[in-house]
Amino acid sequence: AITLADTARVLTWKERHKPGRATLYSALLPGAGQVYNRKYWKVPIVAAAFGVSTYFLIENTRQYNRYKNAYVALVDNDPNTVDEFNGEFSSAAVRDVADTYRRWLDMSYLAIGLVYVLNIVDATVDAHFVRFDVGEDLSLRLGPAIPMAAHGALGLTIGLQL
């Protein structure tokens, strides 16, 4: 009698690997899909990309609020409010700088979204290539093109075997 234990074999991690899980993990926690794919070297890259994007988001928000508050203080027609620049710049100049920081703030939000999406795409694509194996026996052959040579024309074929 053959038992189930005799016929069962243990699957390797590549055989158990599911691309959907890598996508889900990376969507829930950026970098987790890369860990699931066993591409640990990509985690610091993902973390650095989020860190840099977050830094610019925070800095641009801070500067935008600073210049926006200065602009409001300049145009509110109240002599008791003084902007932090003590009237050194005109209201138009302060508004232009505030508008610039607002555009940069919008770009910071786009950068974080792009990093998030690229993190998920990277984990998904890498997960689909887990079982893809390129052997060490890659060969390239050059030779005459027989069908073309039969008609008296010159030809060359290139064959690549994987």
Side-chain angles (χ1 to χ4, degrees), residues 13-100:
W13 78 271
K14 286 184 178 183
E15 293 170 331
R16 291 189 318 262
H17 196 272
K18 295 181 181 173
R21 282 189 186 169
T23 304
L24 179 66
Y25 292 162
S26 206
L28 293 176
L29 179 66
Q34 284 76 5
V35 171
Y36 179 72
N37 291 336
R38 296 189 179 185
K39 301 290 179 153
Y40 306 111
W41 62 273
K42 291 182 177 183
V43 176
I45 296 171
V46 171
F50 271 104
V52 168
S53 299
T54 303
Y55 167 77
F56 281 112
L57 177 72
I58 292 168
E59 184 62 23
N60 289 331
T61 301
R62 188 177 68 77
Q63 292 295 334
Y64 170 70
N65 288 331
R66 178 180 169 212
Y67 283 95
K68 181 184 72 164
N69 292 337
Y71 176 72
V72 169
L74 284 170
V75 297
D76 68 355
N77 293 328
D78 184 5
N80 295 329
T81 58
V82 180
D83 65 307
E84 72 175 272
F85 304 111
N86 296 322
E88 188 177 332
F89 302 107
S90 69
S91 62
V94 172
R95 187 186 63 213
D96 287 343
V97 173
D99 289 343
T100 299

